[in-house]
Amino acid sequence: MTYTHGHHESVLRSHTWRTAENSAAYLLPSLRPGLSVLDVGCGPGTITSDLALLVAPGEVVGIDASEEVVAQAAEGSGLSNLRFEVGDLFSLDYPDMSFDVVHLHQVLQHLGDPVEALVALRRVLAVGGVLAARDSDYSAFTWAPADPFLDRWLELYLAVTERNGHDACIGPRLMGLALSAGFGSVEVSSSTWTYADPESRAWWGGLWADRVRYSRFGEQAVAYGFSRTDELESIAAAWSRWASAPDAVFVVPHVEILARD
């Protein structure tokens, strides 16, 4: 599997900002102490750790394909009901019906066959359990002030993800994917990340400037013949320009599902 973002520090800077509150609020009413949770594509484990606190003493397992990221997550853990493992969601080494909750945050948009993934995850979901998935829709990202280089950034991102066989606009499709995977009931909601104050603008603009310059996204944009390093530098500069604008706003929309049999 080709992961568009890779694991450069600028990518992990984004992932470690995520919490259950800002990235999984739609799931929280379904949680209670004693439930078991599988967090798929857990990354550095910040959401996973929050989930472990909420369901303790229930067992929580975070899995990710990257050994390096799993090691980082495990190092920062310290919770007795939480463990992190390197794992492939398409060949999970868990018995049927092992978990009460399966959680994925911005995972399905990076997969070539998201229905197959949901089928595999449904196997390990206990009777009465819930699968929770949240994904964004890059085509619906919106921002001000306008900048043609940010338009170009989005065009490149969509081209790279399409070349990798992934759907960066998958959010609105989550319900249909879950139904295709055999789930009988799917509850849909939506929420956003909004960056509009000076601190969050500086953080969001800075990390994307670095991701354009240094992450696998930029490397792939050049390797696939979609862009050049000088254009990427202009795009990174546009992100810095946006971040310093006093009227800058950036909105990232997400669609969320709670799927049950």
Side-chain angles (χ1 to χ4, degrees):
M1 181 185 78
T2 301
Y3 181 40
T4 298
H5 296 297
H7 296 97
H8 183 265
E9 180 277 330
S10 58
V11 177
L12 297 181
R13 194 188 318 163
S14 172
H15 293 176
T16 54
W17 168 83
R18 299 172 185 175
T19 65
E21 182 179 5
N22 67 30
S23 300
Y26 72 104
L27 169 62
L28 302 190
S30 300
L31 301 180
R32 64 179 187 275
L35 293 180
S36 57
V37 180
L38 176 66
D39 189 20
V40 180
C42 64
T46 50
I47 298 176
T48 326
S49 296
D50 285 349
L51 298 178
L53 289 170
L54 291 167
V55 302
E59 179 188 37
V60 176
V61 181
I63 64 168
D64 200 279
S66 168
E67 293 186 14
E68 179 183 356
V69 171
V70 167
Q72 177 183 332
E75 184 178 350
S77 172
L79 298 173
S80 61
N81 66 322
L82 171 62
R83 72 178 190 271
F84 292 97
E85 299 175 348
V86 178
D88 177 358
L89 68 85
F90 291 101
S91 56
L92 294 171
D93 191 22
Y94 306 115
D96 293 358
M97 299 183 288
S98 296
F99 298 95
D100 300 306
V101 179
V102 174
H103 171 259
L104 309 90
H105 186 270
Q106 293 196 358
V107 172
L108 295 174
Q109 64 183 272
H110 297 295
L111 303 180
D113 193 338
V115 172
E116 181 186 351
L118 291 173
V119 169
L121 295 173
R122 184 168 169 252
R123 179 187 68 79
V124 301
L125 192 63
V127 174
V130 60
L131 179 139
R134 183 177 193 248
D135 267 281
S136 55
D137 178 353
Y138 273 74
S139 68
F141 285 14
T142 187
W143 61 85
D147 190 309
F149 283 106
L150 293 186
D151 294 339
R152 177 60 176 152
W153 159 77
L154 182 55
E155 180 184 8
L156 280 175
Y157 187 85
L158 294 176
V160 168
T161 51
E162 182 179 13
R163 171 67 166 73
N164 289 337
H166 306 151
D167 182 2
C169 310
I170 202 171
R173 296 179 55 221
L174 293 182
M175 182 179 187
L177 295 172
L179 292 173
S180 295
F183 287 95
S185 169
V186 184
E187 180 182 342
V188 183
S189 60
S190 61
S191 60
T192 63
W193 291 334
T194 301
Y195 307 102
D197 62 273
E199 182 179 0
S200 67
R201 289 194 302 247
W203 177 80
W204 182 247
L207 73 84
W208 265 110
D210 286 348
R211 285 165 82 159
V212 169
R213 289 187 176 105
Y214 308 122
S215 79
R216 284 184 62 187
F217 158 63
E219 293 173 359
Q220 291 171 85
V222 173
Y224 296 159
F226 297 152
S227 188
R228 306 175 310 277
T229 54
D230 60 327
E231 181 184 47
L232 293 179
E233 186 57 40
S234 296
I235 292 171
W239 273 109
S240 299
R241 227 174 14 252
W242 172 86
S244 63
D247 59 344
V249 175
F250 202 105
V251 180
V252 177
H254 296 82
V255 176
E256 308 140 350
I257 60 167
L258 297 173
R260 298 176 173 88
D261 280 340

